[in-house]
Amino acid sequence: SADAQEYNVTFRVKNGYPYRVQLAFYSQNRNAVWPGNGQAYTLQNSRVHEFPLHCRPGERICYGGWVEGNARRYWGVGLGNKQRCSGCCYTCSGNITQVIELE
């Protein structure tokens, strides 16, 4: 049915920070987190990593990154979607973000 339509938004993220960074993505419209279950993606190198997230059309998703073992150093909405951010949210519309560099 049409209301079961699913889209993707692909976040492209590069870790330009000298330590390992953990990353999660938070829906602002519902209680959804990627990868979920209290897990996070780990950026261990400085390559551009792509994260295609299965999402609902029009859903607003923000990235949160933090230094592994030190959530006080954060990017975007940080660990647990607790921080305010500008320009760290994208709408789910089958799109791909520009490269987001964490440094």
Side-chain angles (χ1 to χ4, degrees):
S1 67
D3 56 4
Q5 225 172 358
E6 293 275 346
Y7 279 73
N8 275 22
V9 57
T10 300
F11 281 81
R12 301 173 71 216
V13 187
K14 180 180 195 302
N15 177 12
Y17 198 70
Y19 300 101
R20 296 209 303 194
V21 167
Q22 301 207 281
L23 191 64
F25 302 93
Y26 302 92
S27 171
Q28 306 304 301
N29 303 88
R30 61 189 171 113
N31 188 12
V33 185
W34 295 262
N37 296 325
Q39 305 292 306
Y41 302 108
T42 302
L43 302 179
Q44 317 201 40
N45 56 48
S46 58
R47 289 201 300 272
V48 174
H49 295 265
E50 297 203 347
F51 300 93
L53 309 182
H54 214 45
C55 51
R56 294 178 181 172
E59 185 168 25
R60 192 166 160 76
I61 298 170
C62 306
Y63 67 84
W66 61 95
V67 173
E68 189 174 61
N70 178 15
R72 287 189 303 273
R73 178 69 178 94
Y74 67 87
W75 295 267
V77 294
L79 171 60
N81 193 30
K82 292 188 176 70
Q83 311 295 337
R84 297 182 68 83
C85 68
S86 64
C88 74
C89 303
Y90 295 84
T91 301
C92 175
S93 59
N95 50 327
I96 299 177
T97 72
Q98 76 271 27
V99 175
I100 298 157
E101 184 143 7
L102 309 179
E103 49 190 12

